[in-house]
Amino acid sequence: MAMKYLKDEKPRKFRGTGVIKPLWTVLKHMFKTTIHRPVTILYPYEKEWVPDNYRGRPGLRFDRCVGCGICVRMCPTTCIKLVDVEDDDGNTVKRPQVNVGRCMMCGYCAEYCPMDAMTTTPDYELAEFTREDLVYGPRRLHFEMTTEMMEVPMEEHLPSNVAKGIMDKPVAFYNTDKPVLSKEDCIGCSKCEKVCPTNAIKMVVIGQNERGRDIKIPEIDNSKCICCENCVLNCPKDALHIEEVL
Amino acid sequence: MMKGPELDKMWITMGPQHPFSHGLWTLRVQVDGEIVVDAEPEIGYLHRGWEKECENRIYPKIIPMADRLCYSASMTWSHLYCKVVEEALDVELPDRARYLRVVADEICRIQSHLMWLAAVGTDLGNLTVFLWCLREREFFLDLNVRLCGQRLTTNYPRIGGVRNDMPYYFERDCMRAVERFEKALWEIIAITDESSLFVNRMKGTGILTREQVANLGITGPAMRGTGVDFDIRRDDPYAAYGEIDFEVPVLKDGDSYSRFRVRIEEMFQSCEIIRQAMAKLETIPKTHPYRIKVPRAVPEGTHVTRIEDPRGEGLMYLVSDGTDKPYRLKVRSPVFVNVSAAKPLVMGARVADIPAVMAMIDMCLGETDR
Amino acid sequence: MGYSGLLEWVKFNNPMDNAYYPYDVYNLPYDAGAKLWELLGGLLGWLINLLVPGNRLSTWLISDAVVNAFAIIFLAVILFAVGFVVNLTMIWEERKVLGRMMDRRGTKIGPLGYFQCLGDGLKTFMKENVAPADKDKKIYWWALSLVIGSSVLIACMVPLSHRWFVVDYSTGLLLIFGIFALAPFFILCAGWAQNNKYSLLGGIRAATLMISYEIPMLILLASVVLMAGSFNINDIVNAQFDTMWYIVPQFIGFIVFVVCAIAESERVPFDLAEAEAELVEGWQTEYAGMKWGLIMLGDYFRGYTACALIVILYLGGWMLPGIGATAVPELVFLLKIFAVFFIFIWARASLPRVRIDQILNIGWKRLMPLSVVNLCIVLLLKMGGVF
Amino acid sequence: MSSDAKIEAPSYNDVKALVATKFPKTVSLRENTKKNSRADNEKRRIYFKADRKVLLELCTYLRDKLNFEHASSVTAVDWVDHMEVVYHLSNYFNGMLLEISVDVPLDDLTVDSVANVWGGANWHEREAYELFGIVFKGHPKLERLLTPKYYEFYPFRKSYKLRGQE
C-alpha cells in the first residue's frame, strides 16, 4: 500500500498566501450548508434514528421470564435485583428489577438471558426527578415494541466442533453446560429442587437408609435445565458442579 | 551578593480545570516571560483503582470495564483485555472474529484520531476544525451503533470472539462512510495543513530526538513522528493485521507538525485497512463462527500481550491463579508514559505552544489514572 | 423677561435657526433632542421663573447653546442605541454565519434566533458578582469601566451618515483613532489588577499587540487622508464619491487594514489577549457575570467601530457609487458594516490563533512594509495627478 | 559472536544464549508452553527470572548491547508471601517483548531503580511504589503519584480489602 497523504511533498511556493485555501474552503462550505441545510438535528424536537440493536435501558418480557437470576449475577454494576411480584395468575414470583440509575447499558442481561426475556431497548431518555423513580420494577421494564433484534442471541461455537470442521452449529452455554451431581456428597436436602426456576430437578428415592428413611437424590432433567447455577450455588455440601462442554 | 527570590520567573498551574487539559490533570509550568523553563505534570484526579477492581470480578464482567478505560478508544481496550485472556486460555480465534475485530479496531482508531484532531483545532483556536471533525466522527459512531449497539462504550469484543456478527448492510454502510470520510478529510486538511498559520503554530515546537523518545518510552504516533519505525500492528501482529497490507507512516523531524502528519496519514491507512478487511470478510461464509466458547476459569500462569492503541502501545499483564477471577491485571497505558515526558516536550516552548504540544499526546485521563 | 405664559418658554423653535446648529441639512434626531430640551428646559425655566422672577438661570436654560448641547448628547445616546442594536445584530450575524460555516444551525431562540443575545444579556445580569479578594480594587474597577467606556465612546463617535453624526471636527478621524488606541493600556492595567497570572499574561499580550498594530494602521490612515486631502470623515466619503472607492487604488491597504482592524478589536486569529486555550480567558479571567457581559459588549462595540472605519476609509461610507446618498444613507452604511463584519467572521471561522512571536513578525515584517508600499502607491497616484 | 558488540535486532536464540553466558547463575529462562499462539508471536516473547542483585546490570546490558531501548512497563505483583517486580522491555527492530521478573522478599522490599536506564520507567516505578510499597533504590523522585500525598497505606496489596471482598 502506498501513503495517501504523506506522498506528495509539494513545497509551498508562496508562503504568505497560505491562508487563501482555508478561507476558500470555508466559504465554499458555507454555501453548501446554506443550500443543503446543516447536518445537525434539533435534538428534543427531532430524534435521531437508532437501530434495533441499540443498547438503551434493559427491557423485560414478563411472561417469558422464569426468575432464574442469571442477569443478577452477570450484571457488572449489580443494578439488577430479584423482587417478589404477582404474576397474571396471582402467584408470587421473583422477577428482576433494574436500577437504571446504576445501569451502564452493557447489554449483558439480554445477552446471557436463557429465555430471551431480558432485552435491550432503544429507550435512552431516562431522566427522572428522583432517584427512586429510576428504579424500574418488573412491570415497568416492559417495552412495547420489542423486536427480535433486541433479544441479543448468544451464538457461540464449541471449539471441539470448530476443530472438527462443523462451522454452522452455534450453541449457547445454557444449552450445553449442565449441573452434575457427585452422589457421595449429597445429603438429600432437596434444596436444589426448591431453587430450580424451571422445575428441572426432581428428588427421587433411590433407597432407604438403615433407619428406614428414604435416601433422595436430585435427578436433573437436562432438557429443562437452563444452567442458571442456582442449585450449584445453593447446595450446602457443594455436591453439584457445572460441567462445561467445550 | 545576595540572591533574592526569582521574581523574573513564575509558576503557572494549568489544570485540572483548564481549557487545554482535556480531562483532569495538571501541568505546572514555570515561565520566564512567555518561555517555559520548567514543567511538572500531576495526575491522579481520576484514579479509580481499576486494576484492583478487576481482581474482584469474573472475567466477562471486566470487558465493559475495559471500555471505560478510554472514552474514545474503548474498542481497543476491550480488545486488549480479551486478547490477554485468550492468550491465557490458549485459544485460537476464528477467522471471522479476527477480521471483525480489525474492522472494529480501525473504526475506533479513526474516530479516536478525529477526536484528537478536533481537540487540536480548539487548542489552536479554530472551532471550525473541531466541528467538522466531530461531524465526520459521527459517521463512525453510527457504524459503532450499527455494529455493537452503542456509540462509545462498545462492549463488542468477547473472550473468544466478538459479541455479534455484522448486521445487514453493514459492509455497504462501512464502505460509504469510509469513502465519504476520505473526501471530507481532504477538506479538513485544507483548513489545517494547508493553512500557514496552522502549520506555523506546530512547526518546530516540542522537538524530541529519536534517542530521547526511545528512552522516555513515548509510543504511538508521537513516537513515529520522531523517527522510530515501530508499529505493533505490523511488527508484532495480532488479530488479522498480519494478513493485511498497510503502511506505517514515519517522519523524522520530531516536532509537533510531524506528529500531526503521522496521525493524518494513519487515518487514511485505517480506511485502507477497513477496506481490505471488509473484502476479506466477504470471502468468509456468513455461517462461520465469530465467537467460540471458552472455559470460565483461566489456568494458572502469567501472560502479557500488547496492542496498538490509537495513542500508543497498550499492554496488559495478567496473573491468573486458576479461578474465574484474575489475580492481578496490570494495564500499561500509553498516555501514562507519554504525559510523564511532558517536561522535555514543553521545555523552551512558549506558553501558547503548550496546548499545541500537549495536544499531540492526545490526552485521555481514564486510561492514564485508571 | 417678565412673568408670562408657558408657551413663551416652550417655543419649539426650528432647530435650523439655532445659532450653534452644526449641520447643513435637517437632522431628525437633533430636532427631536432640541424639542425635548425645549419642553423640559422650558418647563424648568418657567417654574424657576415663577419662584424667582427675572433670574438669569431660566434664560440660560433655554438659550441656543444649552439646547444645542442637549441635542448633541441626545444624538450621541441615539447613536449609542443604534450601535447597541447593530451590535446585537452583529452577534446574531456572527452566530448564524459561523454556524453555517461550521455546519451547525446557530441560535434558534426567537425569530431566526435573534433573541438569543437578549437572553444571554439577561443571563449575565442574573449572575453573581464574583471578584477576587486580593485584587487591586481601584484599578480593577476603573480599568474595567474605562475599557468599556472608551469602547462605547468611540462607537458614539461613528457617524452614520452626513446628517447623523456627533462630531464634525476636521480631526474627527484622529479622535476616533486616539480613543481606539487607549483601550490596550486599560487592558494592561486590568490584567495587572486582577492578581492572576493568566490575566497578567493576557494584559501584557494586549500591550504587545497594540504596539505592533497601531503603526501600520496609522500609516494606512495617513495614506487615505493623503488621498482625500482631509481628516474630516464627511470629506473623505465625499472624495470617494467623487472619484472611486479607495479599495480600488489601495487594495493592499484595504487588506492590511482589515488584518489590523481584526487585531485591534481582538478577534479570533489575533485574540491573544484572551487566548482561551492557554490563558483561560486572558485579561477577562476574573471579571465574572455582568462585568464580563459588558466587556463582551465593549468588544463588539470595538468591532463595530473597526468595521465602520473600514467602510468609511475604503468602501465609500454611506454613499453608493453613481447614486450618492440614497434616501436612507444610514441603512446603506449599516449594511456595508455587516458586509465587512462578514469578513471578520469568515477569518474567525477559517484561521487558527496566531502565536505572540508570529504576530509580532507579521505586524512588523509583513504589514508594516505593505502599508508603506501602500503609502508609496498613494503618493505616486497623487503626484501623477490621478486623484 | 563477541559479547561486546551491540546487536540491533537480536533473535530469540541470541538473547537466550547471550544472557545465559553473561549471567549464568542469576538469570533463568522460562519457556513458553502455549500451543495455539501463533508461531511468530512465540519467538517474540522471552521470559526471564532474575535475581535482584544483578537487575541493574542486566538491564543496562539489555539496553546497551541487545538494544532493548524501550521499557514498556514496570509493575509489581503481590504473592502474599513475597512480592514480585515485573519488567517488560521491547526492541523496536524485531518487536521482541522481554519479561524479567524479580522476586522481592517481604522483609526487604527494595529493588534497584531502572529509571536512570529508561526514563519511561520513572512513573511506572512511582506507581509500583505507591500502590505496593516497593522502594526503588536510586529513583530520582520516589513520591506518590496517583494517590494523595498523605496516604499511608498501599492499596493494591492483597492485604488491603475492598468493600465486598472477603
Side-chain angles (χ1 to χ4, degrees):
Chain A
M1 275 329 299
M3 305 273 190
K4 281 194 177 156
Y5 161 70
L6 289 180
K7 64 168 188 242
D8 47 344
E9 286 284 335
K10 271 184 294 185
R12 207 171 273 121
K13 273 181 193 155
F14 308 104
R15 283 205 57 220
T17 59
V19 294
I20 289 171
K21 180 114 190 224
L23 282 170
W24 172 240
T25 314
V26 167
L27 193 67
K28 223 166 49 180
H29 199 268
M30 193 196 77
F31 288 128
K32 212 158 67 183
T33 52
T34 313
I35 295 164
H36 294 295
R37 315 297 295 168
V39 291
T40 49
I41 58 166
L42 298 169
Y43 163 60
Y45 313 111
E46 300 171 25
K47 298 240 164 72
E48 200 169 2
W49 173 84
V50 289
D52 264 3
N53 64 346
Y54 186 79
R55 299 204 308 263
R57 72 159 171 86
L60 176 69
R61 282 187 284 194
F62 197 90
D63 48 330
R64 284 208 194 187
C65 182
V66 293
C68 61
I70 289 184
C71 47
V72 179
R73 275 196 297 281
M74 280 315 295
C75 182
T77 55
T78 60
C79 67
I80 306 182
K81 205 167 99 179
L82 283 185
V83 291
D84 289 332
V85 282
E86 279 194 1
D87 70 357
D88 300 336
D89 305 334
N91 307 323
T92 306
V93 288
K94 282 199 180 299
R95 294 289 180 263
Q97 153 197 305
V98 180
N99 182 352
V100 173
R102 275 169 79 175
C103 178
M104 66 170 175
M105 323 282 176
C106 64
Y108 268 178
C109 45
E111 189 178 331
Y112 281 86
C113 185
M115 312 305 288
D116 285 337
M118 284 298 264
T119 59
T120 60
T121 62
D123 189 5
Y124 54 86
E125 290 166 324
L126 302 166
E128 298 283 357
F129 283 102
T130 63
R131 290 192 184 179
E132 287 73 31
D133 289 348
L134 282 169
V135 178
Y136 277 56
R139 294 286 183 185
R140 194 174 163 206
L141 275 175
H142 180 70
F143 186 71
E144 275 301 321
M145 295 155 288
T146 307
T147 62
E148 219 165 282
M149 283 287 280
M150 298 178 196
E151 286 169 5
V152 193
M154 190 179 217
E155 291 177 352
E156 293 171 321
H157 283 72
L158 294 179
S160 52
N161 276 356
V162 174
K164 273 184 259 165
I166 306 170
M167 292 298 198
D168 47 0
K169 237 178 86 182
V171 295
F173 79 96
Y174 39 80
N175 291 333
T176 55
D177 296 2
K178 298 297 167 206
V180 177
L181 179 77
S182 46
K183 276 180 192 159
E184 55 271 23
D185 291 338
C186 182
I187 54 170
C189 67
S190 71
K191 189 142 194 182
C192 41
E193 188 188 17
K194 281 177 205 144
V195 297
C196 185
T198 52
N199 299 327
I201 299 181
K202 253 199 192 79
M203 300 304 285
V204 291
V205 180
I206 54 164
Q208 285 181 330
N209 65 0
E210 60 270 21
R211 281 196 277 164
R213 292 210 181 129
D214 291 345
I215 300 175
K216 291 196 284 186
I217 59 159
E219 198 183 66
I220 300 162
D221 182 359
N222 278 350
S223 63
K224 279 188 187 169
C225 177
I226 53 170
C227 187
C228 68
E229 289 186 56
N230 274 346
C231 46
V232 178
L233 293 170
N234 280 298
C235 184
K237 288 286 170 192
D238 290 341
L240 287 157
H241 69 272
I242 295 282
E243 191 181 77
E244 288 182 67
V245 178
L246 289 172
Chain B
M1 216 171 90
M2 280 265 292
K3 198 163 181 283
E6 288 188 337
L7 284 177
D8 53 335
K9 291 172 190 159
M10 63 178 179
W11 281 97
I12 300 182
T13 308
M14 288 185 153
Q17 303 248 334
H18 191 280
F20 110 95
S21 61
H22 305 290
L24 293 172
W25 69 291
T26 302
L27 183 65
R28 298 181 66 232
V29 290
Q30 193 183 24
V31 292
D32 180 3
E34 284 249 342
I35 311 281
V36 178
V37 291
D38 199 356
E40 191 193 343
E42 280 175 14
I43 59 168
Y45 298 93
L46 222 59
H47 185 230
R48 298 165 281 180
W50 194 92
E51 294 160 15
K52 183 86 175 173
E53 290 272 319
C54 289
E55 294 170 13
N56 216 3
R57 281 169 160 70
I58 60 170
Y59 282 104
K61 278 195 196 179
I62 301 175
I63 303 171
M65 273 179 76
D67 279 340
R68 268 83 179 163
L69 275 174
C70 176
Y71 66 99
S72 64
S74 56
M75 194 75 86
T76 43
W77 282 108
S78 40
H79 182 179
L80 173 57
Y81 168 71
C82 290
K83 186 167 171 262
V84 73
V85 181
E86 276 150 17
E87 282 197 9
L89 288 165
D90 208 4
V91 295
E92 200 163 4
L93 283 186
D95 277 355
R96 217 170 157 76
R98 290 192 297 129
Y99 278 98
L100 276 171
R101 279 190 182 184
V102 166
V103 171
D105 262 17
E106 294 306 317
I107 288 173
C108 168
R109 191 181 312 276
I110 290 176
Q111 59 103 336
S112 170
H113 277 8
L114 276 173
M115 190 65 231
W116 157 82
L117 189 53
V120 169
T122 50
D123 280 344
L124 298 186
N126 190 345
L127 221 58
T128 312
V129 180
F130 178 78
L131 281 150
W132 287 14
C133 289
L134 286 193
R135 180 192 66 202
E136 296 315 315
R137 181 167 179 257
E138 207 60 28
F139 290 97
F140 290 93
L141 293 184
D142 282 352
L143 286 183
N144 266 353
V145 172
R146 292 270 282 124
L147 189 59
C148 14
Q150 211 34 293
R151 288 155 55 85
L152 289 176
T153 49
T154 47
N155 195 12
Y156 183 60
R158 289 285 183 274
I159 300 162
V162 291
R163 176 176 176 262
N164 53 314
D165 205 346
M166 289 190 289
Y168 290 110
Y169 301 123
F170 185 73
E171 303 96 313
R172 187 199 63 182
D173 291 355
C174 200
M175 286 301 111
R176 276 187 191 172
V178 163
E179 259 152 43
R180 188 192 184 289
F181 169 65
E182 280 187 329
K183 274 186 214 136
L185 189 53
W186 282 113
E187 223 177 37
I188 296 171
I189 287 171
I191 62 167
T192 53
D193 190 32
E194 310 236 357
S195 157
S196 53
L197 294 184
F198 216 97
V199 172
N200 283 346
R201 280 299 297 278
M202 295 189 286
K203 237 181 198 159
T205 61
I207 297 180
L208 289 185
T209 60
R210 188 201 178 282
E211 281 68 35
Q212 268 179 311
V213 158
N215 195 304
L216 290 169
I218 295 175
T219 46
M223 168 184 79
R224 287 191 283 278
T226 321
V228 182
D229 189 3
F230 184 65
D231 189 323
I232 297 167
R233 288 178 292 170
R234 183 196 60 192
D235 296 333
D236 192 0
Y238 54 93
Y241 282 112
E243 297 143 40
I244 287 171
D245 175 26
F246 65 99
E247 293 274 327
V248 177
V250 177
L251 286 174
K252 294 212 160 40
D253 302 342
D255 57 355
S256 295
Y257 184 50
S258 58
R259 286 169 207 143
F260 171 85
R261 288 167 67 93
V262 163
R263 284 209 198 234
I264 299 265
E265 175 63 44
E266 268 185 22
M267 283 195 254
F268 280 115
Q269 293 300 326
S270 291
C271 291
E272 195 53 49
I273 294 173
I274 291 179
R275 213 169 271 140
Q276 289 184 24
M278 275 297 175
K280 180 77 186 178
L281 268 173
E282 274 175 26
T283 64
I284 308 172
K286 272 245 169 201
T287 51
H288 272 211
Y290 57 86
R291 177 177 180 180
I292 54 170
K293 195 157 175 291
V294 293
R296 300 176 193 194
V298 172
E300 252 180 84
T302 67
H303 316 277
V304 59
T305 190
R306 57 183 173 174
I307 206 169
E308 185 71 26
D309 190 62
R311 288 159 179 76
E313 173 192 12
L315 180 141
M316 272 201 197
Y317 175 66
L318 172 75
V319 181
S320 51
D321 59 349
T323 60
D324 57 354
K325 289 173 184 169
Y327 186 78
R328 164 116 174 88
L329 182 63
K330 156 79 182 172
V331 180
R332 188 255 193 220
S333 142
V335 184
F336 180 76
V337 186
N338 289 4
V339 77
S340 74
K343 184 179 170 183
L345 276 169
V346 300
M347 281 281 272
R350 286 175 178 75
V351 174
D353 284 334
I354 295 175
V357 171
M358 293 315 289
M360 300 302 152
I361 297 291
D362 195 6
M363 291 300 294
C364 177
L365 267 293
E367 58 172 88
T368 309
D369 292 347
R370 305 188 295 288
Chain C
M1 215 176 281
Y3 176 75
S4 55
L6 181 61
L7 283 180
E8 279 184 40
W9 291 89
V10 185
K11 290 195 288 280
F12 289 127
N13 290 331
N14 186 0
M16 312 259 300
D17 298 339
N18 193 317
Y20 298 94
Y21 187 66
Y23 310 107
D24 306 331
V25 290
Y26 173 73
N27 192 344
L28 179 67
Y30 182 91
D31 189 12
K35 290 229 162 53
L36 187 64
W37 182 251
E38 278 182 6
L39 197 64
L40 289 175
L43 208 61
L44 207 61
W46 176 65
L47 281 173
I48 295 170
N49 202 35
L50 274 181
L51 299 171
V52 191
N55 64 344
R56 281 166 66 197
L57 181 64
S58 319
T59 342
W60 181 73
L61 274 178
I62 57 162
S63 66
D64 277 0
V66 178
V67 169
N68 178 50
F70 183 84
I72 291 284
I73 292 171
F74 184 79
L75 186 57
V77 172
I78 295 258
L79 285 189
F80 168 74
V82 169
F84 190 81
V85 174
V86 170
N87 259 357
L88 293 187
T89 317
M90 271 160 67
I91 296 173
W92 169 79
E93 182 195 359
E94 173 156 24
R95 286 179 151 164
K96 278 309 219 190
V97 172
L98 217 52
R100 293 291 155 159
M101 282 170 171
M102 294 174 178
D103 221 333
R104 296 186 280 122
R105 288 176 195 244
T107 55
K108 296 299 283 183
I109 310 290
L112 288 174
Y114 190 82
F115 290 164
Q116 180 72 50
C117 333
L118 299 178
D120 285 354
L122 208 63
K123 189 195 88 172
T124 49
F125 249 128
M126 303 290 190
K127 290 222 164 195
E128 189 190 351
N129 188 9
V130 183
D134 295 342
K135 62 184 183 289
D136 191 334
K137 203 169 177 187
K138 272 183 196 159
I139 305 181
Y140 180 79
W141 290 107
W142 273 108
L144 171 71
S145 325
L146 287 170
V147 168
I148 300 163
S150 63
S151 308
V152 171
L153 186 61
I154 40 172
C156 296
M157 297 274 182
V158 171
L160 289 185
S161 67
H162 58 283
R163 50 184 202 194
W164 284 44
F165 57 89
V166 176
V167 280
D168 190 25
Y169 305 116
S170 52
T171 53
L173 210 50
L174 275 187
L175 189 66
I176 293 178
F177 265 82
I179 304 174
F180 215 167
L182 266 181
F185 173 67
F186 301 135
I187 289 176
L188 181 57
C189 292
W192 169 256
Q194 290 168 46
N195 192 17
N196 180 323
K197 287 160 186 168
Y198 295 124
S199 51
L200 177 62
L201 278 178
I204 292 171
R205 280 184 183 187
T208 325
L209 207 60
M210 177 189 71
I211 53 166
S212 58
Y213 278 89
E214 278 303 315
I215 295 163
M217 218 166 164
L218 288 174
I219 293 175
L220 290 171
L221 174 70
S223 42
V224 169
V225 167
L226 194 65
M227 204 169 230
S230 167
F231 265 119
N232 190 317
I233 294 170
N234 215 345
D235 291 350
I236 291 174
V237 172
N238 285 335
Q240 289 188 58
F241 179 64
D242 293 340
T243 54
M244 61 174 92
W245 287 8
Y246 287 167
I247 184 176
V248 182
Q250 302 192 32
F251 187 71
I252 302 172
F254 173 72
I255 298 286
V256 175
F257 199 92
V258 167
V259 174
C260 292
I262 293 175
E264 191 69 38
S265 52
E266 282 176 12
R267 289 183 51 81
V268 151
F270 308 110
D271 66 338
L272 302 160
E274 54 204 72
E276 102 239 296
E278 62 261 19
L279 294 187
V280 190
E281 206 37 46
W283 64 276
Q284 310 169 356
T285 306
E286 300 286 359
Y287 286 118
M290 195 58 211
K291 282 170 281 179
W292 184 82
L294 287 174
I295 287 172
M296 206 65 208
L297 198 68
D299 264 13
Y300 275 91
F301 267 122
R302 293 160 67 75
Y304 160 66
T305 317
C307 292
L309 283 177
I310 292 170
V311 171
I312 289 166
L313 296 183
Y314 294 100
L315 297 177
W318 43 83
M319 303 283 205
L320 285 177
I323 304 168
T326 50
V328 271
E330 295 83 12
L331 208 59
V332 172
F333 187 66
L334 291 183
L335 285 178
K336 281 184 187 174
I337 285 181
F338 291 135
V340 172
F341 195 64
F342 176 80
I343 299 176
F344 284 26
I345 302 166
W346 186 21
R348 174 177 177 176
S350 40
L351 301 175
R353 188 178 302 117
V354 189
R355 209 166 57 202
I356 186 80
D357 56 328
Q358 289 163 358
I359 213 165
L360 294 185
N361 269 340
I362 295 172
W364 288 102
K365 293 188 188 158
R366 301 273 159 76
L367 301 184
M368 183 81 171
L370 280 177
S371 57
V372 173
V373 166
N374 186 55
L375 185 63
C376 295
I377 291 172
V378 171
L379 280 174
L380 281 178
L381 289 175
K382 201 76 181 167
M383 285 194 298
V386 183
F387 284 94
Chain D
M1 195 191 302
S2 71
S3 59
D4 322 330
K6 180 170 178 171
I7 309 170
E8 202 170 57
S11 69
Y12 181 82
N13 291 330
D14 285 352
V15 178
K16 198 170 142 187
L18 283 172
V19 171
T21 52
K22 185 95 183 174
F23 304 93
K25 291 258 169 57
T26 45
V27 178
S28 58
L29 182 84
R30 176 164 68 84
E31 290 287 349
N32 198 341
T33 52
K34 300 224 175 76
K35 292 194 295 290
N36 276 329
S37 297
R38 286 164 193 271
D40 50 339
N41 267 7
E42 186 66 19
K43 288 292 163 198
R44 292 203 195 94
R45 304 269 189 278
I46 309 181
Y47 304 91
F48 280 125
K49 193 160 193 73
D51 195 286
R52 66 172 165 158
K53 289 188 193 73
V54 294
L55 176 72
L56 201 58
E57 202 185 332
L58 174 67
C59 285
T60 318
Y61 177 73
L62 286 173
R63 184 194 66 177
D64 291 345
K65 297 292 183 291
L66 299 183
N67 208 16
F68 281 91
E69 293 175 277
H70 172 62
S72 284
S73 87
V74 178
T75 185
V77 184
D78 181 4
W79 287 106
V80 183
D81 54 340
H82 68 281
M83 294 260 190
E84 189 181 19
V85 183
V86 186
Y87 298 83
H88 293 110
L89 318 172
S90 50
N91 184 317
Y92 285 141
F93 291 91
N94 55 7
M96 190 174 274
L97 187 66
L98 188 146
E99 179 181 313
I100 307 171
S101 50
V102 178
D103 280 350
V104 187
L106 279 181
D107 51 355
D108 180 23
L109 282 175
T110 55
V111 71
D112 286 323
S113 165
V114 296
N116 297 323
V117 184
W118 295 284
N122 189 324
W123 276 24
H124 285 302
E125 289 189 346
R126 279 175 75 175
E127 197 195 345
Y129 160 70
E130 70 174 342
L131 300 178
F132 288 93
I134 293 165
V135 176
F136 292 88
K137 280 187 290 183
H139 190 279
K141 188 181 179 182
L142 201 60
E143 286 173 13
R144 285 189 173 263
L145 176 70
L146 296 168
T147 48
K149 300 269 184 292
Y150 52 81
Y151 251 42
E152 286 164 352
F153 33 78
Y154 302 108
F156 275 26
R157 285 189 183 173
K158 286 285 170 186
S159 55
Y160 183 92
K161 297 292 182 201
L162 295 179
R163 192 171 66 180
Q165 216 177 20
E166 290 109 45

